[in-house]
Amino acid sequence: MTLDTHLLLIDPQNDFCDLPANFCPSGLRPSLPVPGAHADMQRVATWLRLHSAHIDHITVTLDSHQVFDIAHPAFWQQGSGDEVAPFTAITAAQVRQGQFQPRKAAHLARTLAYLDALEARGRYTLMVWPVHCEIGSWGHGVHAHILSACADWQRQQQRAVCNVFKGSNPWTEHFSALEAEVPNASAPETCLNQTLLTSLLQAQRLIVAGEASSHCVRATVEHLLQQAPADFAPRITVLTDGMSPVSGFEAQHIAFLQHLQAAGAQLCTTTELRL
């Protein structure tokens, strides 16, 4: 029997890749490069070309932000009025103590409500990231090797890649492609993406790669397992050499892979997986 095989590529975008200079337009560099991501994407692209005839569906998720975002520096200031540097973690308690404030005072109540809700979920503390994957920018685009391999797959299979955009709502972090960290019922783009969920659950074999394993890959797969039937995990295959963690979050990467193994998902490399 031929399995229905679905490749899920999570955020294979320029801003997340530690690209060499010859891969970047003049004067541009990735804003949030994940160590090892360029090599990850090259391996995944090579694997995709080798197995494209056996892949029935490809979904590519795209982190999609603007400069004004609750997780970007432009939103925040220190109590002194100074800038807030990227990679600063901010808690609700620190905001209440006046260590950090939204630049616009009118945003304070909504900001605190978000931080309280985020911390109550116990998954993440708000992190101020460098502006990344800004909509319309070069950094928002897909790694060149992945883009080319997906284009060839479309020509061969005569079907389109499904692109899923996430993160455009500035009032919540949105690591997972399935749901924002704090969904808002009045903002449908932050709520559970039923169309994507249905598509992924139809796969008899779901192959996952992308960036970063510590955040967006992890959050997407964990949300998928929360929504899926109990026996779905063995259908998932994670390409361990097709993803890497954000620097400083290696422990989250390891915990994610351990969680997948315990759930019954398959872990393998691009050289090991043959379709």
Side-chain angles (χ1 to χ4, degrees):
M1 181 182 70
T2 301
L3 295 178
D4 184 86
T5 300
H6 193 145
L7 175 62
L8 174 61
L9 297 176
I10 297 172
D11 301 0
Q13 291 163 274
N14 291 324
D15 265 346
F16 293 135
C17 295
D18 53 342
L19 299 170
N22 63 310
F23 268 73
C24 305
S26 177
L28 293 177
R29 297 294 295 160
S31 64
L32 188 50
V34 174
H38 175 53
D40 293 339
M41 295 303 97
Q42 289 180 307
R43 283 188 289 267
V44 172
T46 297
W47 178 88
L48 172 54
R49 290 186 182 282
L50 287 172
H51 300 281
S52 61
H54 305 288
I55 297 171
D56 301 294
H57 309 279
I58 297 178
T59 294
V60 175
T61 73
L62 296 165
D63 215 28
S64 304
H65 298 301
Q66 300 183 78
V67 171
F68 175 77
D69 188 289
I70 200 166
H72 285 169
F75 185 91
W76 292 98
Q77 62 184 7
Q78 297 184 46
S80 62
D82 291 341
E83 303 281 328
V84 173
F87 304 106
T88 299
I90 295 179
T91 66
Q94 289 173 314
V95 174
R96 289 190 168 94
Q97 292 162 8
Q99 291 178 247
F100 300 103
Q101 301 170 346
R103 288 179 184 267
K104 188 171 183 178
H107 292 159
L108 179 60
R110 186 170 185 177
T111 299
L112 283 170
Y114 171 72
L115 292 175
D116 287 339
L118 178 69
E119 292 168 21
R121 288 176 170 247
R123 287 169 55 85
Y124 298 99
T125 298
L126 182 132
M127 177 68 73
V128 178
W129 301 103
V131 175
H132 61 281
C133 298
E134 184 180 357
I135 297 168
S137 71
W138 167 80
H140 183 259
V142 173
H143 183 284
H145 287 192
I146 294 291
L147 189 66
S148 177
C150 284
D152 286 346
W153 175 85
Q154 292 180 77
R155 295 184 187 100
Q156 180 185 39
Q157 293 289 343
Q158 286 298 291
R159 63 179 60 178
V161 165
C162 175
N163 293 294
V164 176
F165 296 81
K166 65 180 179 68
S168 61
N169 187 296
W171 289 102
T172 176
E173 292 156 284
H174 205 144
F175 299 124
S176 168
L178 284 168
E179 186 177 71
E181 288 309 309
V182 179
N184 180 347
S186 65
E189 72 277 9
T190 70
C191 299
L192 182 63
N193 186 331
Q194 292 284 357
T195 300
L196 176 60
L197 176 63
T198 298
S199 174
L200 298 179
L201 291 180
Q202 288 173 345
Q204 294 167 292
R205 175 166 49 194
L206 179 64
I207 301 166
V208 181
E211 305 301 341
S213 56
S214 54
H215 288 79
C216 297
V217 178
R218 174 189 174 197
T220 300
V221 176
E222 287 181 349
H223 277 165
L224 176 61
L225 289 174
Q226 289 171 9
Q227 296 290 335
D231 60 352
F232 187 81
R235 299 193 216 171
I236 299 174
T237 299
V238 171
L239 295 175
T240 56
D241 63 343
M243 59 184 65
S244 296
V246 174
S247 182
F249 291 87
E250 292 79 10
Q252 286 82 351
H253 165 88
I254 293 169
F256 170 53
L257 296 184
Q258 291 173 339
H259 172 67
L260 288 177
Q261 280 189 306
Q266 309 300 310
L267 307 183
C268 68
T269 66
T270 52
T271 54
E272 292 169 340
L273 183 60
R274 292 289 179 260
L275 301 183

